[in-house]
Amino acid sequence: SAVISQKPSRDICQRGTSLTIQCQVDSQVTMMFWYRQQPGQSLTLIATANQGSEATYESGFVIDKFPISRPNLTFSTLTVSNMSPEDSSIYLCSGLAPGPLSYEQYFGPGTRLTVT
Amino acid sequence: EDKVVQSPLSLVVHEGDTVTLNCSYEVTNFRSLLWYKQEKKAPTFLFMLTSSGIEKKSGRLSSILDKKELFSILNITATQTGDSAVYLCAVDRNTGNQFYFGTGTSLTVIP
């Protein structure tokens, strides 16, 4: 199994500023992902964080707005840039780790972001 | 377009009831279907299903996948107030890195 921590757990930010969210995994995971969960909605995949190279972004998400780093197998950051109230959301880090039979996906506790 | 649809969107039951949550999907290159329980912020992994007709069981929870009809069900028997949560279904594909999540079913168990 894998234990994933995120910080900050929550933040209130002003419009136009940027926030970097950190994700730390206690063991090596094969893949790391960043999700967003807007109020009342399900999880939406933002991007796959690739170790040592640029992240792979899903449709509707771009690197300039959500730069991601993954310098090693157990750490990643997501920056929400030039924030607007529409970016208010929970941001979740996730890691894929080998399980008993195949693999399992673990989630961090999330970062609740409010943009005013 | 790939999609995952869950039903019902919300459900209110009394303690001791049995509930069945549904997840249907249309996803190319299907690899597996996963169920999560989400309380507060982070989802908790429940089951991963890859083969049709094989029931997975954990305590009062069980789940089964039908790859021909493209759906899965999650059963919870003898519900307790602690089962109150949003239950998410997600589908994984062989190609790419996308996990498609359904909208979730919000379950409320009242004493």
Side-chain angles (χ1 to χ4, degrees), chain B residues 11-19 21 36-39 46 58-62 74-88 105-111:
Chain B
L11 195 55
V12 180
V13 300
H14 288 94
E15 265 191 324
D17 288 349
T18 294
V19 297
L21 310 182
Y36 294 86
K37 178 182 181 182
Q38 186 174 25
E39 301 169 277
L46 294 175
S58 176
R60 296 177 293 103
L61 277 65
S62 64
L74 175 68
N75 277 322
I76 308 175
T77 59
T79 52
Q80 303 170 357
T81 55
D83 294 327
S84 297
V86 173
Y87 289 84
L88 293 166
T105 293
S106 176
L107 174 65
T108 302
V109 181
I110 54 179

PDB file of all heavy atoms in Angstrom, chain B residues 11-19 21 36-39 46 58-62 74-88 105-111:
ATOM      1  N   LEU B  11     -29.290   8.562  -2.548  1.00  0.00           N
ATOM      2  CA  LEU B  11     -30.089   7.511  -1.952  1.00  0.00           C
ATOM      3  C   LEU B  11     -30.122   7.734  -0.449  1.00  0.00           C
ATOM      4  O   LEU B  11     -29.090   8.004   0.167  1.00  0.00           O
ATOM      5  CB  LEU B  11     -29.416   6.171  -2.266  1.00  0.00           C
ATOM      6  CG  LEU B  11     -30.133   4.853  -2.093  1.00  0.00           C
ATOM      7  CD1 LEU B  11     -31.434   4.841  -2.863  1.00  0.00           C
ATOM      8  CD2 LEU B  11     -29.219   3.735  -2.574  1.00  0.00           C
ATOM      9  N   VAL B  12     -31.310   7.611   0.131  1.00  0.00           N
ATOM     10  CA  VAL B  12     -31.442   7.702   1.584  1.00  0.00           C
ATOM     11  C   VAL B  12     -32.109   6.424   2.065  1.00  0.00           C
ATOM     12  O   VAL B  12     -33.181   6.063   1.575  1.00  0.00           O
ATOM     13  CB  VAL B  12     -32.281   8.931   1.999  1.00  0.00           C
ATOM     14  CG1 VAL B  12     -32.398   8.988   3.523  1.00  0.00           C
ATOM     15  CG2 VAL B  12     -31.667  10.211   1.469  1.00  0.00           C
ATOM     16  N   VAL B  13     -31.457   5.739   2.995  1.00  0.00           N
ATOM     17  CA  VAL B  13     -32.001   4.475   3.499  1.00  0.00           C
ATOM     18  C   VAL B  13     -31.917   4.473   5.019  1.00  0.00           C
ATOM     19  O   VAL B  13     -31.255   5.323   5.626  1.00  0.00           O
ATOM     20  CB  VAL B  13     -31.233   3.266   2.928  1.00  0.00           C
ATOM     21  CG1 VAL B  13     -31.311   3.235   1.413  1.00  0.00           C
ATOM     22  CG2 VAL B  13     -29.782   3.260   3.395  1.00  0.00           C
ATOM     23  N   HIS B  14     -32.586   3.491   5.627  1.00  0.00           N
ATOM     24  CA  HIS B  14     -32.502   3.319   7.070  1.00  0.00           C
ATOM     25  C   HIS B  14     -31.445   2.280   7.398  1.00  0.00           C
ATOM     26  O   HIS B  14     -31.166   1.367   6.609  1.00  0.00           O
ATOM     27  CB  HIS B  14     -33.856   2.899   7.632  1.00  0.00           C
ATOM     28  CG  HIS B  14     -34.857   4.005   7.633  1.00  0.00           C
ATOM     29  ND1 HIS B  14     -35.754   4.194   6.612  1.00  0.00           N
ATOM     30  CD2 HIS B  14     -35.091   4.988   8.532  1.00  0.00           C
ATOM     31  CE1 HIS B  14     -36.514   5.245   6.874  1.00  0.00           C
ATOM     32  NE2 HIS B  14     -36.139   5.740   8.037  1.00  0.00           N
ATOM     33  N   GLU B  15     -30.903   2.412   8.571  1.00  0.00           N
ATOM     34  CA  GLU B  15     -29.931   1.420   9.040  1.00  0.00           C
ATOM     35  C   GLU B  15     -30.507   0.022   8.906  1.00  0.00           C
ATOM     36  O   GLU B  15     -31.684  -0.219   9.225  1.00  0.00           O
ATOM     37  CB  GLU B  15     -29.585   1.690  10.512  1.00  0.00           C
ATOM     38  CG  GLU B  15     -28.346   2.516  10.703  1.00  0.00           C
ATOM     39  CD  GLU B  15     -27.874   2.540  12.156  1.00  0.00           C
ATOM     40  OE1 GLU B  15     -28.739   2.554  13.052  1.00  0.00           O
ATOM     41  OE2 GLU B  15     -26.665   2.539  12.364  1.00  0.00           O
ATOM     42  N   GLY B  16     -29.685  -0.902   8.441  1.00  0.00           N
ATOM     43  CA  GLY B  16     -30.124  -2.280   8.289  1.00  0.00           C
ATOM     44  C   GLY B  16     -30.604  -2.615   6.891  1.00  0.00           C
ATOM     45  O   GLY B  16     -30.677  -3.799   6.525  1.00  0.00           O
ATOM     46  N   ASP B  17     -30.907  -1.579   6.106  1.00  0.00           N
ATOM     47  CA  ASP B  17     -31.338  -1.834   4.730  1.00  0.00           C
ATOM     48  C   ASP B  17     -30.172  -2.343   3.889  1.00  0.00           C
ATOM     49  O   ASP B  17     -29.002  -2.142   4.232  1.00  0.00           O
ATOM     50  CB  ASP B  17     -31.890  -0.553   4.096  1.00  0.00           C
ATOM     51  CG  ASP B  17     -33.235  -0.145   4.664  1.00  0.00           C
ATOM     52  OD1 ASP B  17     -33.837  -0.961   5.403  1.00  0.00           O
ATOM     53  OD2 ASP B  17     -33.677   0.978   4.363  1.00  0.00           O
ATOM     54  N   THR B  18     -30.522  -2.949   2.768  1.00  0.00           N
ATOM     55  CA  THR B  18     -29.530  -3.349   1.766  1.00  0.00           C
ATOM     56  C   THR B  18     -29.657  -2.417   0.565  1.00  0.00           C
ATOM     57  O   THR B  18     -30.776  -2.110   0.138  1.00  0.00           O
ATOM     58  CB  THR B  18     -29.752  -4.799   1.317  1.00  0.00           C
ATOM     59  OG1 THR B  18     -29.492  -5.670   2.419  1.00  0.00           O
ATOM     60  CG2 THR B  18     -28.830  -5.169   0.165  1.00  0.00           C
ATOM     61  N   VAL B  19     -28.527  -1.950   0.057  1.00  0.00           N
ATOM     62  CA  VAL B  19     -28.558  -1.041  -1.099  1.00  0.00           C
ATOM     63  C   VAL B  19     -27.727  -1.617  -2.238  1.00  0.00           C
ATOM     64  O   VAL B  19     -26.764  -2.354  -2.018  1.00  0.00           O
ATOM     65  CB  VAL B  19     -28.034   0.364  -0.743  1.00  0.00           C
ATOM     66  CG1 VAL B  19     -28.912   1.020   0.292  1.00  0.00           C
ATOM     67  CG2 VAL B  19     -26.592   0.313  -0.292  1.00  0.00           C
ATOM     68  N   LEU B  21     -25.841  -0.138  -5.695  1.00  0.00           N
ATOM     69  CA  LEU B  21     -25.421   1.017  -6.479  1.00  0.00           C
ATOM     70  C   LEU B  21     -24.970   0.530  -7.855  1.00  0.00           C
ATOM     71  O   LEU B  21     -24.333  -0.514  -7.969  1.00  0.00           O
ATOM     72  CB  LEU B  21     -24.261   1.746  -5.785  1.00  0.00           C
ATOM     73  CG  LEU B  21     -24.468   2.080  -4.307  1.00  0.00           C
ATOM     74  CD1 LEU B  21     -23.275   2.842  -3.772  1.00  0.00           C
ATOM     75  CD2 LEU B  21     -25.745   2.865  -4.103  1.00  0.00           C
ATOM     76  N   TYR B  36     -14.774   3.296  -5.254  1.00  0.00           N
ATOM     77  CA  TYR B  36     -14.191   4.064  -4.162  1.00  0.00           C
ATOM     78  C   TYR B  36     -15.307   4.567  -3.251  1.00  0.00           C
ATOM     79  O   TYR B  36     -16.416   4.813  -3.686  1.00  0.00           O
ATOM     80  CB  TYR B  36     -13.426   5.289  -4.685  1.00  0.00           C
ATOM     81  CG  TYR B  36     -12.212   4.975  -5.500  1.00  0.00           C
ATOM     82  CD1 TYR B  36     -12.298   4.728  -6.858  1.00  0.00           C
ATOM     83  CD2 TYR B  36     -10.959   4.947  -4.900  1.00  0.00           C
ATOM     84  CE1 TYR B  36     -11.178   4.446  -7.608  1.00  0.00           C
ATOM     85  CE2 TYR B  36      -9.821   4.671  -5.657  1.00  0.00           C
ATOM     86  CZ  TYR B  36      -9.954   4.426  -7.007  1.00  0.00           C
ATOM     87  OH  TYR B  36      -8.834   4.145  -7.744  1.00  0.00           O
ATOM     88  N   LYS B  37     -14.936   4.780  -1.994  1.00  0.00           N
ATOM     89  CA  LYS B  37     -15.829   5.423  -1.041  1.00  0.00           C
ATOM     90  C   LYS B  37     -15.215   6.773  -0.703  1.00  0.00           C
ATOM     91  O   LYS B  37     -14.031   6.853  -0.351  1.00  0.00           O
ATOM     92  CB  LYS B  37     -15.940   4.578   0.227  1.00  0.00           C
ATOM     93  CG  LYS B  37     -16.817   5.192   1.315  1.00  0.00           C
ATOM     94  CD  LYS B  37     -16.831   4.284   2.558  1.00  0.00           C
ATOM     95  CE  LYS B  37     -17.715   4.859   3.651  1.00  0.00           C
ATOM     96  NZ  LYS B  37     -17.687   4.003   4.876  1.00  0.00           N
ATOM     97  N   GLN B  38     -15.995   7.824  -0.818  1.00  0.00           N
ATOM     98  CA  GLN B  38     -15.455   9.151  -0.549  1.00  0.00           C
ATOM     99  C   GLN B  38     -16.207   9.826   0.585  1.00  0.00           C
ATOM    100  O   GLN B  38     -17.381  10.150   0.469  1.00  0.00           O
ATOM    101  CB  GLN B  38     -15.499  10.038  -1.793  1.00  0.00           C
ATOM    102  CG  GLN B  38     -14.798  11.384  -1.567  1.00  0.00           C
ATOM    103  CD  GLN B  38     -14.703  12.206  -2.837  1.00  0.00           C
ATOM    104  OE1 GLN B  38     -15.508  12.046  -3.749  1.00  0.00           O
ATOM    105  NE2 GLN B  38     -13.735  13.104  -2.893  1.00  0.00           N
ATOM    106  N   GLU B  39     -15.476  10.017   1.683  1.00  0.00           N
ATOM    107  CA  GLU B  39     -15.975  10.793   2.804  1.00  0.00           C
ATOM    108  C   GLU B  39     -15.087  12.016   2.917  1.00  0.00           C
ATOM    109  O   GLU B  39     -13.879  11.920   2.736  1.00  0.00           O
ATOM    110  CB  GLU B  39     -15.888   9.985   4.097  1.00  0.00           C
ATOM    111  CG  GLU B  39     -16.677   8.691   4.067  1.00  0.00           C
ATOM    112  CD  GLU B  39     -16.335   7.813   5.250  1.00  0.00           C
ATOM    113  OE1 GLU B  39     -15.324   7.095   5.177  1.00  0.00           O
ATOM    114  OE2 GLU B  39     -17.077   7.858   6.242  1.00  0.00           O
ATOM    115  N   LEU B  46     -11.977   0.657  -2.721  1.00  0.00           N
ATOM    116  CA  LEU B  46     -12.784  -0.473  -2.240  1.00  0.00           C
ATOM    117  C   LEU B  46     -12.460  -1.746  -3.018  1.00  0.00           C
ATOM    118  O   LEU B  46     -12.028  -2.740  -2.452  1.00  0.00           O
ATOM    119  CB  LEU B  46     -14.278  -0.157  -2.367  1.00  0.00           C
ATOM    120  CG  LEU B  46     -14.833   0.955  -1.494  1.00  0.00           C
ATOM    121  CD1 LEU B  46     -16.298   1.215  -1.835  1.00  0.00           C
ATOM    122  CD2 LEU B  46     -14.679   0.629  -0.014  1.00  0.00           C
ATOM    123  N   SER B  58     -15.968  -7.782   0.647  1.00  0.00           N
ATOM    124  CA  SER B  58     -15.220  -7.294   1.796  1.00  0.00           C
ATOM    125  C   SER B  58     -16.223  -6.915   2.868  1.00  0.00           C
ATOM    126  O   SER B  58     -16.874  -5.874   2.794  1.00  0.00           O
ATOM    127  CB  SER B  58     -14.364  -6.085   1.407  1.00  0.00           C
ATOM    128  OG  SER B  58     -13.705  -5.564   2.545  1.00  0.00           O
ATOM    129  N   GLY B  59     -16.380  -7.803   3.828  1.00  0.00           N
ATOM    130  CA  GLY B  59     -17.352  -7.549   4.893  1.00  0.00           C
ATOM    131  C   GLY B  59     -18.754  -7.486   4.336  1.00  0.00           C
ATOM    132  O   GLY B  59     -19.221  -8.407   3.659  1.00  0.00           O
ATOM    133  N   ARG B  60     -19.410  -6.344   4.570  1.00  0.00           N
ATOM    134  CA  ARG B  60     -20.795  -6.183   4.105  1.00  0.00           C
ATOM    135  C   ARG B  60     -20.863  -5.650   2.683  1.00  0.00           C
ATOM    136  O   ARG B  60     -21.955  -5.488   2.139  1.00  0.00           O
ATOM    137  CB  ARG B  60     -21.521  -5.230   5.057  1.00  0.00           C
ATOM    138  CG  ARG B  60     -21.660  -5.756   6.475  1.00  0.00           C
ATOM    139  CD  ARG B  60     -22.319  -4.725   7.401  1.00  0.00           C
ATOM    140  NE  ARG B  60     -21.451  -3.558   7.606  1.00  0.00           N
ATOM    141  CZ  ARG B  60     -21.637  -2.403   7.010  1.00  0.00           C
ATOM    142  NH1 ARG B  60     -22.653  -2.215   6.173  1.00  0.00           N
ATOM    143  NH2 ARG B  60     -20.818  -1.388   7.243  1.00  0.00           N
ATOM    144  N   LEU B  61     -19.723  -5.370   2.090  1.00  0.00           N
ATOM    145  CA  LEU B  61     -19.694  -4.847   0.731  1.00  0.00           C
ATOM    146  C   LEU B  61     -19.327  -5.941  -0.254  1.00  0.00           C
ATOM    147  O   LEU B  61     -18.484  -6.793   0.035  1.00  0.00           O
ATOM    148  CB  LEU B  61     -18.667  -3.722   0.614  1.00  0.00           C
ATOM    149  CG  LEU B  61     -19.078  -2.316   1.046  1.00  0.00           C
ATOM    150  CD1 LEU B  61     -19.361  -2.235   2.537  1.00  0.00           C
ATOM    151  CD2 LEU B  61     -18.034  -1.297   0.641  1.00  0.00           C
ATOM    152  N   SER B  62     -19.963  -5.910  -1.396  1.00  0.00           N
ATOM    153  CA  SER B  62     -19.605  -6.829  -2.464  1.00  0.00           C
ATOM    154  C   SER B  62     -19.841  -6.136  -3.798  1.00  0.00           C
ATOM    155  O   SER B  62     -20.647  -5.208  -3.908  1.00  0.00           O
ATOM    156  CB  SER B  62     -20.406  -8.125  -2.373  1.00  0.00           C
ATOM    157  OG  SER B  62     -21.787  -7.864  -2.555  1.00  0.00           O
ATOM    158  N   LEU B  74     -22.470  -2.377  -6.868  1.00  0.00           N
ATOM    159  CA  LEU B  74     -21.872  -2.426  -5.541  1.00  0.00           C
ATOM    160  C   LEU B  74     -23.017  -2.642  -4.557  1.00  0.00           C
ATOM    161  O   LEU B  74     -23.954  -1.849  -4.519  1.00  0.00           O
ATOM    162  CB  LEU B  74     -21.140  -1.129  -5.228  1.00  0.00           C
ATOM    163  CG  LEU B  74     -20.570  -0.988  -3.820  1.00  0.00           C
ATOM    164  CD1 LEU B  74     -19.416  -1.960  -3.603  1.00  0.00           C
ATOM    165  CD2 LEU B  74     -20.089   0.448  -3.568  1.00  0.00           C
ATOM    166  N   ASN B  75     -22.954  -3.717  -3.811  1.00  0.00           N
ATOM    167  CA  ASN B  75     -23.974  -4.019  -2.819  1.00  0.00           C
ATOM    168  C   ASN B  75     -23.456  -3.744  -1.417  1.00  0.00           C
ATOM    169  O   ASN B  75     -22.307  -4.090  -1.103  1.00  0.00           O
ATOM    170  CB  ASN B  75     -24.372  -5.493  -2.890  1.00  0.00           C
ATOM    171  CG  ASN B  75     -25.390  -5.762  -3.967  1.00  0.00           C
ATOM    172  OD1 ASN B  75     -26.288  -4.952  -4.194  1.00  0.00           O
ATOM    173  ND2 ASN B  75     -25.252  -6.871  -4.642  1.00  0.00           N
ATOM    174  N   ILE B  76     -24.302  -3.172  -0.597  1.00  0.00           N
ATOM    175  CA  ILE B  76     -23.982  -2.991   0.812  1.00  0.00           C
ATOM    176  C   ILE B  76     -25.142  -3.570   1.599  1.00  0.00           C
ATOM    177  O   ILE B  76     -26.288  -3.119   1.465  1.00  0.00           O
ATOM    178  CB  ILE B  76     -23.781  -1.514   1.190  1.00  0.00           C
ATOM    179  CG1 ILE B  76     -22.783  -0.836   0.252  1.00  0.00           C
ATOM    180  CG2 ILE B  76     -23.296  -1.399   2.650  1.00  0.00           C
ATOM    181  CD1 ILE B  76     -22.626   0.663   0.488  1.00  0.00           C
ATOM    182  N   THR B  77     -24.863  -4.571   2.401  1.00  0.00           N
ATOM    183  CA  THR B  77     -25.919  -5.177   3.210  1.00  0.00           C
ATOM    184  C   THR B  77     -25.852  -4.634   4.637  1.00  0.00           C
ATOM    185  O   THR B  77     -24.815  -4.130   5.084  1.00  0.00           O
ATOM    186  CB  THR B  77     -25.761  -6.702   3.248  1.00  0.00           C
ATOM    187  OG1 THR B  77     -24.470  -7.017   3.797  1.00  0.00           O
ATOM    188  CG2 THR B  77     -25.858  -7.301   1.849  1.00  0.00           C
ATOM    189  N   ALA B  78     -26.983  -4.729   5.324  1.00  0.00           N
ATOM    190  CA  ALA B  78     -27.062  -4.307   6.734  1.00  0.00           C
ATOM    191  C   ALA B  78     -26.378  -2.950   6.924  1.00  0.00           C
ATOM    192  O   ALA B  78     -25.461  -2.799   7.748  1.00  0.00           O
ATOM    193  CB  ALA B  78     -26.432  -5.357   7.634  1.00  0.00           C
ATOM    194  N   THR B  79     -26.836  -1.965   6.176  1.00  0.00           N
ATOM    195  CA  THR B  79     -26.171  -0.655   6.176  1.00  0.00           C
ATOM    196  C   THR B  79     -26.100  -0.045   7.571  1.00  0.00           C
ATOM    197  O   THR B  79     -26.979  -0.259   8.424  1.00  0.00           O
ATOM    198  CB  THR B  79     -26.875   0.326   5.238  1.00  0.00           C
ATOM    199  OG1 THR B  79     -28.275   0.345   5.551  1.00  0.00           O
ATOM    200  CG2 THR B  79     -26.685  -0.056   3.793  1.00  0.00           C
ATOM    201  N   GLN B  80     -25.049   0.734   7.772  1.00  0.00           N
ATOM    202  CA  GLN B  80     -24.813   1.443   9.030  1.00  0.00           C
ATOM    203  C   GLN B  80     -24.623   2.925   8.717  1.00  0.00           C
ATOM    204  O   GLN B  80     -24.297   3.282   7.580  1.00  0.00           O
ATOM    205  CB  GLN B  80     -23.564   0.887   9.720  1.00  0.00           C
ATOM    206  CG  GLN B  80     -23.626  -0.608   9.988  1.00  0.00           C
ATOM    207  CD  GLN B  80     -22.297  -1.165  10.453  1.00  0.00           C
ATOM    208  OE1 GLN B  80     -21.289  -0.466  10.535  1.00  0.00           O
ATOM    209  NE2 GLN B  80     -22.292  -2.453  10.771  1.00  0.00           N
ATOM    210  N   THR B  81     -24.764   3.758   9.719  1.00  0.00           N
ATOM    211  CA  THR B  81     -24.613   5.203   9.478  1.00  0.00           C
ATOM    212  C   THR B  81     -23.222   5.524   8.949  1.00  0.00           C
ATOM    213  O   THR B  81     -23.040   6.470   8.180  1.00  0.00           O
ATOM    214  CB  THR B  81     -24.884   6.011  10.754  1.00  0.00           C
ATOM    215  OG1 THR B  81     -24.041   5.530  11.799  1.00  0.00           O
ATOM    216  CG2 THR B  81     -26.341   5.873  11.175  1.00  0.00           C
ATOM    217  N   GLY B  82     -22.248   4.719   9.331  1.00  0.00           N
ATOM    218  CA  GLY B  82     -20.883   4.929   8.837  1.00  0.00           C
ATOM    219  C   GLY B  82     -20.705   4.645   7.360  1.00  0.00           C
ATOM    220  O   GLY B  82     -19.662   4.967   6.780  1.00  0.00           O
ATOM    221  N   ASP B  83     -21.716   4.059   6.743  1.00  0.00           N
ATOM    222  CA  ASP B  83     -21.649   3.823   5.298  1.00  0.00           C
ATOM    223  C   ASP B  83     -22.037   5.073   4.511  1.00  0.00           C
ATOM    224  O   ASP B  83     -21.893   5.099   3.292  1.00  0.00           O
ATOM    225  CB  ASP B  83     -22.596   2.677   4.904  1.00  0.00           C
ATOM    226  CG  ASP B  83     -22.165   1.345   5.494  1.00  0.00           C
ATOM    227  OD1 ASP B  83     -20.950   1.112   5.646  1.00  0.00           O
ATOM    228  OD2 ASP B  83     -23.065   0.528   5.820  1.00  0.00           O
ATOM    229  N   SER B  84     -22.534   6.075   5.202  1.00  0.00           N
ATOM    230  CA  SER B  84     -22.916   7.315   4.528  1.00  0.00           C
ATOM    231  C   SER B  84     -21.688   7.935   3.874  1.00  0.00           C
ATOM    232  O   SER B  84     -20.687   8.219   4.539  1.00  0.00           O
ATOM    233  CB  SER B  84     -23.529   8.305   5.522  1.00  0.00           C
ATOM    234  OG  SER B  84     -24.722   7.794   6.068  1.00  0.00           O
ATOM    235  N   ALA B  85     -21.766   8.129   2.569  1.00  0.00           N
ATOM    236  CA  ALA B  85     -20.617   8.627   1.813  1.00  0.00           C
ATOM    237  C   ALA B  85     -21.041   8.758   0.358  1.00  0.00           C
ATOM    238  O   ALA B  85     -22.158   8.396  -0.017  1.00  0.00           O
ATOM    239  CB  ALA B  85     -19.429   7.663   1.915  1.00  0.00           C
ATOM    240  N   VAL B  86     -20.122   9.278  -0.439  1.00  0.00           N
ATOM    241  CA  VAL B  86     -20.307   9.233  -1.894  1.00  0.00           C
ATOM    242  C   VAL B  86     -19.512   8.038  -2.407  1.00  0.00           C
ATOM    243  O   VAL B  86     -18.341   7.870  -2.060  1.00  0.00           O
ATOM    244  CB  VAL B  86     -19.817  10.531  -2.568  1.00  0.00           C
ATOM    245  CG1 VAL B  86     -19.861  10.397  -4.087  1.00  0.00           C
ATOM    246  CG2 VAL B  86     -20.662  11.712  -2.113  1.00  0.00           C
ATOM    247  N   TYR B  87     -20.146   7.218  -3.216  1.00  0.00           N
ATOM    248  CA  TYR B  87     -19.476   6.050  -3.776  1.00  0.00           C
ATOM    249  C   TYR B  87     -19.183   6.338  -5.248  1.00  0.00           C
ATOM    250  O   TYR B  87     -20.078   6.636  -6.031  1.00  0.00           O
ATOM    251  CB  TYR B  87     -20.339   4.800  -3.601  1.00  0.00           C
ATOM    252  CG  TYR B  87     -20.392   4.391  -2.154  1.00  0.00           C
ATOM    253  CD1 TYR B  87     -21.307   4.995  -1.281  1.00  0.00           C
ATOM    254  CD2 TYR B  87     -19.506   3.463  -1.636  1.00  0.00           C
ATOM    255  CE1 TYR B  87     -21.340   4.662   0.062  1.00  0.00           C
ATOM    256  CE2 TYR B  87     -19.529   3.118  -0.292  1.00  0.00           C
ATOM    257  CZ  TYR B  87     -20.443   3.730   0.550  1.00  0.00           C
ATOM    258  OH  TYR B  87     -20.473   3.400   1.887  1.00  0.00           O
ATOM    259  N   LEU B  88     -17.906   6.246  -5.568  1.00  0.00           N
ATOM    260  CA  LEU B  88     -17.451   6.571  -6.921  1.00  0.00           C
ATOM    261  C   LEU B  88     -17.054   5.307  -7.672  1.00  0.00           C
ATOM    262  O   LEU B  88     -16.424   4.409  -7.107  1.00  0.00           O
ATOM    263  CB  LEU B  88     -16.240   7.497  -6.865  1.00  0.00           C
ATOM    264  CG  LEU B  88     -16.471   8.903  -6.323  1.00  0.00           C
ATOM    265  CD1 LEU B  88     -15.150   9.566  -6.006  1.00  0.00           C
ATOM    266  CD2 LEU B  88     -17.227   9.744  -7.343  1.00  0.00           C
ATOM    267  N   THR B 105     -22.551   8.232  -6.401  1.00  0.00           N
ATOM    268  CA  THR B 105     -23.847   8.063  -5.744  1.00  0.00           C
ATOM    269  C   THR B 105     -23.684   8.489  -4.298  1.00  0.00           C
ATOM    270  O   THR B 105     -22.839   7.950  -3.582  1.00  0.00           O
ATOM    271  CB  THR B 105     -24.333   6.611  -5.797  1.00  0.00           C
ATOM    272  OG1 THR B 105     -24.628   6.248  -7.144  1.00  0.00           O
ATOM    273  CG2 THR B 105     -25.596   6.443  -4.947  1.00  0.00           C
ATOM    274  N   SER B 106     -24.491   9.446  -3.886  1.00  0.00           N
ATOM    275  CA  SER B 106     -24.440   9.912  -2.501  1.00  0.00           C
ATOM    276  C   SER B 106     -25.385   9.073  -1.659  1.00  0.00           C
ATOM    277  O   SER B 106     -26.607   9.094  -1.875  1.00  0.00           O
ATOM    278  CB  SER B 106     -24.845  11.389  -2.440  1.00  0.00           C
ATOM    279  OG  SER B 106     -24.899  11.822  -1.095  1.00  0.00           O
ATOM    280  N   LEU B 107     -24.849   8.329  -0.732  1.00  0.00           N
ATOM    281  CA  LEU B 107     -25.647   7.447   0.131  1.00  0.00           C
ATOM    282  C   LEU B 107     -25.736   8.050   1.522  1.00  0.00           C
ATOM    283  O   LEU B 107     -24.715   8.395   2.126  1.00  0.00           O
ATOM    284  CB  LEU B 107     -25.009   6.063   0.209  1.00  0.00           C
ATOM    285  CG  LEU B 107     -25.644   5.081   1.193  1.00  0.00           C
ATOM    286  CD1 LEU B 107     -27.069   4.735   0.769  1.00  0.00           C
ATOM    287  CD2 LEU B 107     -24.803   3.813   1.314  1.00  0.00           C
ATOM    288  N   THR B 108     -26.951   8.155   2.022  1.00  0.00           N
ATOM    289  CA  THR B 108     -27.173   8.606   3.397  1.00  0.00           C
ATOM    290  C   THR B 108     -27.918   7.511   4.138  1.00  0.00           C
ATOM    291  O   THR B 108     -28.982   7.076   3.684  1.00  0.00           O
ATOM    292  CB  THR B 108     -27.995   9.903   3.437  1.00  0.00           C
ATOM    293  OG1 THR B 108     -27.326  10.913   2.691  1.00  0.00           O
ATOM    294  CG2 THR B 108     -28.176  10.370   4.881  1.00  0.00           C
ATOM    295  N   VAL B 109     -27.350   7.062   5.236  1.00  0.00           N
ATOM    296  CA  VAL B 109     -27.968   6.034   6.052  1.00  0.00           C
ATOM    297  C   VAL B 109     -28.419   6.690   7.347  1.00  0.00           C
ATOM    298  O   VAL B 109     -27.611   7.236   8.098  1.00  0.00           O
ATOM    299  CB  VAL B 109     -26.985   4.888   6.358  1.00  0.00           C
ATOM    300  CG1 VAL B 109     -27.685   3.813   7.190  1.00  0.00           C
ATOM    301  CG2 VAL B 109     -26.431   4.303   5.067  1.00  0.00           C
ATOM    302  N   ILE B 110     -29.725   6.653   7.584  1.00  0.00           N
ATOM    303  CA  ILE B 110     -30.249   7.300   8.782  1.00  0.00           C
ATOM    304  C   ILE B 110     -30.581   6.247   9.840  1.00  0.00           C
ATOM    305  O   ILE B 110     -30.976   5.133   9.501  1.00  0.00           O
ATOM    306  CB  ILE B 110     -31.482   8.158   8.445  1.00  0.00           C
ATOM    307  CG1 ILE B 110     -32.554   7.348   7.711  1.00  0.00           C
ATOM    308  CG2 ILE B 110     -31.067   9.355   7.626  1.00  0.00           C
ATOM    309  CD1 ILE B 110     -33.791   8.155   7.384  1.00  0.00           C
ATOM    310  N   PRO B 111     -30.391   6.612  11.107  1.00  0.00           N
ATOM    311  CA  PRO B 111     -30.606   5.626  12.191  1.00  0.00           C
ATOM    312  C   PRO B 111     -32.063   5.208  12.269  1.00  0.00           C
ATOM    313  O   PRO B 111     -32.969   5.953  11.927  1.00  0.00           O
ATOM    314  CB  PRO B 111     -30.186   6.381  13.457  1.00  0.00           C
ATOM    315  CG  PRO B 111     -29.385   7.539  12.981  1.00  0.00           C
ATOM    316  CD  PRO B 111     -29.871   7.873  11.606  1.00  0.00           C
TER     317      PRO B 111
END
